[in-house]
Amino acid sequence: MVKVDRRIRKSQEAIKTAVTELMMNKDFDHITIQDIAGKADISRRTIYLHYTDKFDLLNKLITEHIENLREICESTEMDTGYNNMVFVWFEYFEKHFLFFYALLASKGSSFFRKQFLDFFIHELQNGNESEPAVMNTELMKDQIVEVQFVGGAIIGVVEWWFTHERPLPLSVMAERIGAMLERNLDMNLNP
């Protein structure tokens, strides 16, 4: 792993925090590089040293969070139940509240929503793979529909949770979503 200079890391964190905070109150399309530089208390030149433009910045920020979530899922034991996995997701959402709130509950990005949905669909498919020899074509078709449906539902519930300022604790969210995942996904594996 390449060690990043502390000053570079500090500048990048200031830039990421600035764009996230700006998105809390302003549509991303209306945020300028000058806005980000001013909020981060750095020069525009410093931003351009790290990012091509604001879209590159947003893309890298989204990719970083999706990759972090993916790594967390991959490091979690395969036999972890749905409740525990959902709890891990919500712990991450809680830890990075500003980012997820800015992109889901306020002036969010449809690009992020698509990547977020792709992440959930990928994780749900990984958690529901059966032996290929046992799985028939009809079951695979049913699972694709189920996974798409459940992935969209998870995004909706996460958006609701942020929009309503986290009205339920992580444990309740994990329990309820975990139970729904178990009901909706496990029934297709065991018809």
Side-chain angles (χ1 to χ4, degrees):
M1 178 181 221
V2 177
K3 188 172 181 178
V4 178
D5 181 274
R6 185 171 16 124
R7 291 170 298 172
I8 292 172
R9 197 172 54 243
K10 189 175 178 182
S11 292
Q12 288 175 333
E13 285 306 313
I15 293 166
K16 292 173 190 175
T17 299
V19 74
T20 301
E21 289 176 358
L22 286 166
M23 285 189 301
M24 298 288 288
N25 301 312
K26 199 173 188 180
D27 185 43
F28 182 75
D29 289 337
H30 295 108
I31 295 172
T32 65
I33 290 293
Q34 186 58 51
D35 293 336
I36 298 166
K39 185 81 169 166
D41 196 24
I42 58 171
S43 71
R44 290 172 40 145
R45 184 173 175 265
T46 302
I47 294 174
Y48 287 120
L49 285 173
H50 302 289
Y51 307 100
T52 309
D53 56 23
K54 69 179 187 176
F55 299 103
D56 180 46
L57 164 59
L58 182 62
N59 184 44
K60 286 181 178 167
L61 187 56
I62 290 169
T63 300
E64 178 183 316
H65 281 286
I66 297 294
E67 287 303 314
N68 289 345
L69 278 166
R70 192 164 278 128
E71 286 174 17
I72 290 169
C73 290
E74 288 173 3
S75 68
T76 305
E77 307 247 347
M78 287 298 282
D79 61 349
T80 298
Y82 290 121
N83 291 15
N84 292 334
M85 184 53 69
V86 174
F87 189 81
V88 169
W89 292 342
F90 273 85
E91 276 184 323
Y92 188 84
F93 302 153
E94 179 87 350
K95 184 177 179 184
H96 301 281
F97 173 78
L98 277 180
F99 170 78
F100 287 98
Y101 184 83
L103 286 168
L104 289 172
S106 63
K107 311 279 188 220
S109 162
S110 60
F111 177 68
F112 169 70
R113 196 174 194 288
K114 165 88 171 84
Q115 285 192 302
F116 202 39
L117 178 60
D118 289 347
F119 162 75
F120 281 117
I121 288 171
H122 178 267
E123 290 306 314
L124 293 170
Q125 286 173 331
N126 281 348
N128 272 312
E129 288 177 351
S130 182
E131 292 296 319
V134 176
M135 191 179 283
N136 65 40
T137 307
E138 286 305 311
L139 183 57
M140 286 172 44
K141 286 180 190 173
D142 287 349
Q143 279 187 309
I144 290 169
V145 172
E146 290 287 334
V147 167
Q148 291 290 323
F149 174 78
V150 172
I154 291 171
I155 297 292
V157 170
V158 171
E159 285 176 332
W160 168 84
W161 192 65
F162 279 108
T163 302
H164 291 86
E165 298 179 17
R166 302 171 289 188
L168 299 172
L170 303 179
S171 58
V172 172
M173 295 300 291
E175 178 187 321
R176 298 307 310 138
I177 294 172
M180 286 184 269
L181 288 174
E182 196 169 302
R183 267 194 317 270
N184 286 294
L185 295 177
D186 283 350
M187 67 189 246
N188 272 341
L189 289 178
N190 304 310

